[in-house]
Amino acid sequence: MDGEGMERRQLEYFVAIVEYGGFTAAAKALHVAQPSLSRAIGKLEHELGVTLFHRVGRHAVLSAAGEALAGRARLVLRDLDALRAAAGAIGDGAAGRVDVAATSSSGLEPVTNVIAELAERHPGVMVSTSAAVSAAEVIAMVAQGRCEVGVCGSAERPSGRGLVTHHLRDEEFLLVVPPGTLDVPGPSVSPEVLRGMRFVVTKPATAVRALFDRLAATVGDLTIAAEAGDRSVVLPMVLKGIGAGLMPDGWTDLAVRAGADVYRFDPPERLPQWLVHRQGPVTAATRAFIDTTLDARS
């Protein structure tokens, strides 16, 4: 194998050790012998003149140099894949895998609809989604090369060196309660209706929690009945009567089908939703995802 090919393999091995948490797990995932993996990393460390891993007993812990290299290695591998895919896609339809980071609400809308549209337009494209707690985590996953594309809600336009952002839409936050909880004349409620209510909330750093904290500060007398680390359990907890919930509009269909009552706020509570990706070449699969997402903007 030539030097360039060997360099790529070394980076792939290095990233795999980081992602899988050790040499043994990485060797198993890559289907290579562990001694071959160790030799490749040793050669990479020799060429770079740094120690990438500290061996602590049977474990490998990233050194400071290893931590600095990890993000750059992912980006280099992404760029190499993009260049190869661009060259191979001439005259062919988009195909391959695209890794997408998304917060839970963005995973429902628009990512789910984009995946459905991609299945029609580009059946050769496979989307792999990674869940993120916050917009900041989505941005970090894209900037570090862990994912090629990110979708998230953020009051401020996401920014970062080498990042491109597109405004998709303004998602709307809704009040979700067990059926028959409120006696109101229409589909909308004012924030004052929340006074005295108990809520199931997500943990800090999420957009939904930020909205709850703001309402609690302005309306007053809002109580946290339960705090959920996994946002997927908020709706079941609401339906059990534990408390009301605040949810982005991507959850509307699920909430209504589950039997909850859903109300808009008057005035509306909205949050801009963004598509984020890095500058430079992208794979044909990534370009298909980006284009399909932008075409679906509302």
Side-chain angles (χ1 to χ4, degrees):
M1 182 177 293
D2 60 25
E4 182 179 354
M6 185 63 179
E7 181 177 339
R8 178 188 173 86
R9 186 180 68 178
Q10 289 171 332
L11 290 178
E12 289 175 336
Y13 285 1
F14 170 69
V15 169
I17 295 167
V18 174
E19 298 291 345
Y20 289 100
F23 282 74
T24 301
K28 183 177 180 179
L30 294 170
H31 304 290
V32 300
Q34 187 169 331
S36 299
L37 188 66
S38 298
R39 284 194 297 271
I41 296 302
K43 186 173 186 294
L44 180 61
E45 289 179 320
H46 177 74
E47 292 172 351
L48 295 175
V50 297
T51 298
L52 298 175
F53 296 98
H54 298 301
R55 278 68 172 180
V56 181
R58 300 178 65 180
H59 302 284
V61 180
L62 269 178
S63 67
E67 290 180 355
L69 178 64
R72 295 303 307 168
R74 292 189 188 99
L75 296 180
V76 169
L77 292 173
R78 292 282 188 200
D79 288 342
L80 289 173
D81 288 342
L83 290 170
R84 180 178 290 106
I90 297 175
D92 297 329
R97 166 176 166 152
V98 53
D99 294 311
V100 179
T103 52
S104 64
S105 59
S106 297
L108 285 173
E109 172 61 37
V111 172
T112 298
N113 289 333
V114 171
I115 294 174
E117 183 65 24
L118 274 173
E120 295 292 330
R121 292 191 188 184
H122 305 286
V125 173
M126 191 276 283
V127 180
S128 174
T129 60
S130 296
V133 172
S134 64
E137 186 177 357
V138 168
I139 295 165
M141 292 171 77
V142 175
Q144 295 166 6
R146 294 168 60 191
C147 290
E148 291 137 315
V149 185
V151 185
C152 61
S154 173
E156 302 295 329
R157 189 182 192 95
S159 63
R161 186 176 179 180
L163 294 182
V164 178
T165 59
H166 306 269
H167 178 254
L168 298 179
R169 68 185 187 104
D170 289 343
E171 63 180 346
E172 186 171 354
F173 289 99
L174 308 170
L175 174 67
V176 181
V177 296
T181 298
L182 297 179
D183 183 14
V184 293
S188 299
V189 296
S190 66
E192 286 69 26
V193 171
L194 308 182
R195 188 174 290 114
M197 292 179 63
R198 295 165 58 83
F199 280 83
V200 179
V201 300
T202 52
K203 291 189 175 181
T206 66
V208 171
R209 180 59 178 269
L211 172 60
F212 173 83
D213 291 342
R214 178 164 57 80
L215 291 171
T218 56
V219 174
D221 194 23
L222 272 61
T223 303
I224 296 177
E227 187 178 72
D230 182 352
R231 281 179 281 192
S232 66
V233 305
V234 172
L235 181 57
M237 293 175 78
V238 169
L239 292 171
K240 285 289 187 180
I242 296 172
L246 300 170
M247 296 182 180
D249 55 15
W251 287 82
T252 302
D253 289 344
L254 287 174
V256 171
R257 287 202 302 269
D261 288 344
V262 179
Y263 298 91
R264 300 180 64 189
F265 284 101
D266 184 14
E269 293 285 354
R270 295 191 175 104
L271 185 71
Q273 198 170 46
W274 308 90
L275 175 73
V276 184
H277 62 89
R278 290 195 303 116
Q279 292 177 338
V282 297
T283 65
T286 301
R287 174 51 57 190
F289 183 91
I290 293 171
D291 291 344
T292 302
T293 304
L294 295 181
D295 287 347
R297 281 188 290 191
S298 59

XYZ file of all heavy atoms in Angstrom, residues 121-172:
372
model
N -36.664 10.501 -3.939
C -35.747 11.144 -4.884
C -34.450 10.377 -5.105
O -33.959 10.242 -6.218
C -35.370 12.544 -4.373
C -36.462 13.584 -4.363
C -35.804 14.931 -4.095
N -36.757 16.004 -3.874
C -36.406 17.265 -3.707
N -35.122 17.607 -3.721
N -37.314 18.200 -3.506
N -33.876 9.902 -3.990
C -32.555 9.274 -4.034
C -32.576 8.005 -3.181
O -32.088 7.997 -2.045
C -31.486 10.233 -3.514
C -31.448 11.559 -4.211
N -30.943 11.717 -5.490
C -31.877 12.790 -3.809
C -31.040 12.992 -5.841
N -31.603 13.661 -4.844
N -33.128 6.926 -3.691
C -33.238 5.696 -2.891
C -31.895 5.107 -2.492
O -31.841 4.279 -1.576
C -34.018 4.748 -3.813
C -33.842 5.307 -5.198
C -33.738 6.781 -5.022
N -30.811 5.562 -3.117
C -29.485 5.061 -2.760
C -28.858 5.768 -1.580
O -27.756 5.407 -1.150
N -29.543 6.781 -1.039
C -29.011 7.539 0.092
C -29.572 6.981 1.397
O -30.781 6.825 1.544
C -29.355 9.040 -0.024
C -28.945 9.787 1.254
C -28.662 9.643 -1.237
N -28.684 6.693 2.340
C -29.093 6.228 3.662
C -28.719 7.300 4.685
O -27.586 7.768 4.717
C -28.409 4.911 4.018
C -28.991 4.224 5.266
S -28.336 4.805 6.825
C -26.741 3.989 6.850
N -29.692 7.692 5.521
C -29.472 8.718 6.530
C -29.303 8.068 7.892
O -30.126 7.252 8.311
C -30.642 9.720 6.578
C -30.387 10.784 7.650
C -30.852 10.373 5.219
N -28.215 8.431 8.570
C -27.990 7.967 9.938
C -28.071 9.181 10.863
O -27.330 10.147 10.704
C -26.607 7.316 10.066
O -26.331 6.980 11.422
N -29.018 9.155 11.808
C -29.215 10.307 12.685
C -28.563 10.077 14.045
O -28.562 8.959 14.567
C -30.703 10.612 12.887
O -31.340 9.477 13.478
C -31.374 10.924 11.551
N -28.008 11.152 14.584
C -27.428 11.130 15.932
C -28.158 12.163 16.773
O -28.292 13.324 16.365
C -25.935 11.459 15.889
O -25.216 10.473 15.182
N -28.647 11.741 17.941
C -29.421 12.638 18.796
C -28.498 13.587 19.550
O -27.425 13.196 20.023
C -30.256 11.829 19.786
N -28.920 14.835 19.652
C -28.194 15.844 20.411
C -29.153 16.506 21.387
O -30.345 16.654 21.098
C -27.585 16.885 19.481
N -28.643 16.905 22.522
C -29.479 17.523 23.548
C -29.792 18.968 23.209
O -30.887 19.454 23.478
C -28.787 17.432 24.923
C -29.549 18.236 25.972
C -28.656 15.983 25.373
N -28.822 19.655 22.618
C -28.969 21.094 22.410
C -28.412 21.503 21.059
O -27.704 20.737 20.388
C -28.226 21.852 23.506
O -26.825 21.591 23.417
N -28.717 22.744 20.665
C -28.159 23.292 19.428
C -26.642 23.350 19.499
O -25.945 23.079 18.511
C -28.737 24.676 19.171
N -26.106 23.690 20.665
C -24.653 23.763 20.822
C -24.006 22.406 20.549
O -22.929 22.328 19.931
C -24.311 24.242 22.234
N -24.652 21.335 20.973
C -24.110 19.995 20.728
C -24.181 19.647 19.245
O -23.252 19.034 18.703
C -24.857 18.957 21.550
C -24.245 17.563 21.461
C -24.943 16.541 22.349
O -25.871 16.926 23.092
O -24.558 15.361 22.290
N -25.260 20.017 18.579
C -25.383 19.790 17.141
C -24.241 20.497 16.407
O -23.566 19.909 15.549
C -26.741 20.297 16.619
C -26.755 20.325 15.085
C -27.865 19.412 17.124
N -24.018 21.760 16.730
C -22.976 22.544 16.069
C -21.608 21.921 16.305
O -20.789 21.815 15.383
C -23.020 23.995 16.570
C -24.335 24.661 16.149
C -21.829 24.799 16.041
C -24.628 25.943 16.886
N -21.351 21.470 17.534
C -20.066 20.845 17.844
C -19.873 19.556 17.063
O -18.769 19.274 16.569
C -19.970 20.575 19.346
N -20.928 18.764 16.920
C -20.816 17.498 16.199
C -20.482 17.719 14.727
O -19.735 16.942 14.123
C -22.121 16.705 16.345
C -22.365 16.213 17.762
S -24.018 15.509 18.023
C -23.817 13.893 17.262
N -21.019 18.788 14.144
C -20.700 19.104 12.748
C -19.299 19.686 12.643
O -18.508 19.300 11.768
C -21.734 20.087 12.168
C -21.347 20.509 10.750
C -23.124 19.443 12.156
N -18.966 20.615 13.529
C -17.659 21.266 13.478
C -16.524 20.273 13.687
O -15.445 20.411 13.092
C -17.589 22.371 14.530
N -16.755 19.240 14.511
C -15.731 18.245 14.804
C -15.693 17.112 13.781
O -14.842 16.237 13.862
C -15.973 17.663 16.195
C -15.804 18.674 17.325
C -16.361 18.180 18.643
O -16.797 17.025 18.767
N -16.345 19.038 19.649
N -16.624 17.130 12.825
C -16.641 16.093 11.811
C -17.325 14.818 12.223
O -17.286 13.823 11.489
N -17.971 14.797 13.389
C -18.693 13.589 13.804
C -19.927 13.377 12.949
O -20.388 12.249 12.768
C -19.063 13.698 15.278
C -17.858 13.690 16.213
C -18.234 14.081 17.629
N -19.210 13.169 18.201
C -19.861 13.402 19.339
N -19.646 14.528 19.996
N -20.723 12.533 19.792
N -20.500 14.460 12.445
C -21.630 14.395 11.517
C -21.390 15.405 10.402
O -20.685 16.402 10.597
C -22.949 14.714 12.222
S -23.495 13.429 13.390
N -21.987 15.145 9.246
C -21.791 16.048 8.112
C -22.789 17.196 8.112
O -22.503 18.282 7.605
C -21.926 15.261 6.801
C -20.792 14.289 6.586
C -21.267 12.936 6.067
O -22.258 12.402 6.594
O -20.622 12.416 5.154
N -23.964 16.956 8.681
C -25.042 17.938 8.662
C -25.686 17.986 10.034
O -25.738 16.975 10.745
C -26.109 17.578 7.602
C -27.159 18.672 7.498
C -25.482 17.330 6.251
N -26.191 19.165 10.403
C -26.922 19.301 11.650
C -28.206 20.086 11.449
O -28.266 20.970 10.589
N -29.239 19.744 12.216
C -30.501 20.484 12.194
C -30.880 20.765 13.640
O -30.926 19.852 14.464
C -31.628 19.685 11.504
C -32.879 20.537 11.400
C -31.190 19.218 10.116
N -31.154 22.038 13.946
C -31.430 22.402 15.331
C -32.207 23.708 15.402
O -32.272 24.457 14.417
C -30.124 22.558 16.125
S -29.022 23.846 15.477
N -32.785 23.965 16.561
C -33.444 25.230 16.826
C -32.546 26.100 17.686
O -31.959 25.617 18.660
N -32.438 27.364 17.337
C -31.588 28.270 18.100
C -32.063 29.695 17.894
O -32.324 30.104 16.751
C -30.120 28.143 17.658
O -29.316 29.129 18.266
N -32.152 30.447 18.992
C -32.576 31.843 18.881
C -31.562 32.655 18.085
O -31.934 33.583 17.349
C -32.771 32.439 20.270
N -30.282 32.304 18.225
C -29.222 32.976 17.477
C -28.788 32.112 16.301
O -28.808 30.883 16.378
C -28.020 33.246 18.383
C -28.337 34.088 19.612
C -28.770 35.494 19.250
O -28.300 36.004 18.214
O -29.564 36.084 20.009
N -28.391 32.772 15.223
C -27.904 32.029 14.053
C -26.644 31.257 14.440
O -25.687 31.844 14.951
C -27.588 32.996 12.910
C -27.283 32.298 11.588
C -26.938 33.293 10.489
N -26.933 32.638 9.195
C -27.963 32.619 8.361
N -29.077 33.281 8.697
N -27.908 31.983 7.203
N -26.614 29.932 14.250
C -25.422 29.164 14.598
C -24.205 29.682 13.838
O -24.303 30.059 12.661
C -25.774 27.736 14.159
C -27.266 27.701 14.160
C -27.694 29.073 13.734
N -23.087 29.708 14.509
C -21.871 30.207 13.874
C -20.683 29.375 14.325
O -20.715 28.712 15.355
C -21.645 31.688 14.221
O -21.460 31.843 15.616
N -19.653 29.410 13.544
C -18.428 28.690 13.848
C -17.525 28.727 12.638
O -17.987 28.887 11.503
N -16.265 28.596 12.875
C -15.311 28.639 11.782
C -15.581 27.533 10.771
O -15.662 26.357 11.121
C -13.884 28.503 12.317
C -12.809 28.684 11.270
C -11.432 28.640 11.897
N -10.387 28.799 10.900
C -9.082 28.794 11.166
N -8.691 28.641 12.432
N -8.200 28.948 10.208
N -15.744 27.916 9.502
C -15.951 26.943 8.438
C -17.353 26.385 8.348
O -17.583 25.428 7.607
N -18.310 26.964 9.080
C -19.678 26.456 9.054
C -20.572 27.304 8.156
O -20.421 28.519 8.077
C -20.272 26.422 10.462
C -19.657 25.448 11.465
C -20.408 25.514 12.777
C -19.665 24.021 10.921
N -21.513 26.644 7.499
C -22.526 27.305 6.678
C -23.879 27.033 7.331
O -24.173 25.892 7.707
C -22.529 26.761 5.239
C -23.624 27.427 4.410
C -21.169 26.963 4.587
N -24.702 28.064 7.500
C -26.013 27.884 8.116
C -27.109 28.398 7.198
O -26.936 29.381 6.486
C -26.097 28.620 9.471
O -25.852 30.015 9.259
C -25.073 28.072 10.442
N -28.249 27.719 7.233
C -29.431 28.104 6.451
C -30.627 28.150 7.385
O -30.869 27.195 8.143
C -29.718 27.096 5.334
C -28.564 26.834 4.423
N -28.342 27.558 3.274
C -27.568 25.900 4.486
C -27.263 27.096 2.664
N -26.775 26.098 3.377
N -31.391 29.227 7.333
C -32.628 29.279 8.106
C -33.682 28.427 7.408
O -33.920 28.572 6.210
C -33.124 30.727 8.232
C -34.420 30.843 8.966
N -35.614 31.117 8.328
C -34.718 30.680 10.279
C -36.584 31.154 9.223
N -36.074 30.894 10.413
N -34.316 27.527 8.151
C -35.316 26.632 7.578
C -36.725 27.151 7.812
O -37.525 27.273 6.883
C -35.172 25.231 8.179
C -33.839 24.520 7.909
C -33.822 23.160 8.593
C -33.585 24.378 6.413
N -37.057 27.443 9.055
C -38.386 27.905 9.398
C -38.359 28.330 10.856
O -37.337 28.186 11.536
C -39.431 26.800 9.211
C -39.285 25.658 10.208
C -40.241 24.512 9.944
N -40.178 23.535 11.024
C -41.085 23.402 11.974
N -42.156 24.190 11.980
N -40.972 22.512 12.925
N -39.470 28.832 11.358
C -39.622 29.105 12.782
C -40.542 28.043 13.364
O -41.740 28.020 13.055
C -40.205 30.500 13.015
C -39.204 31.601 12.687
O -38.008 31.293 12.604
O -39.633 32.749 12.522
N -39.965 27.131 14.180
C -40.824 26.140 14.817
C -41.576 26.802 15.967
O -41.100 27.750 16.586
C -40.020 24.934 15.304
C -38.984 25.215 16.363
C -38.239 23.958 16.784
O -38.697 22.846 16.447
O -37.200 24.080 17.448
N -42.769 26.293 16.237
C -43.634 26.900 17.241
C -43.762 25.975 18.444
O -43.917 24.755 18.300
C -45.017 27.177 16.654
C -45.943 27.940 17.578
C -47.228 28.376 16.890
O -47.342 28.175 15.657
O -48.118 28.912 17.579
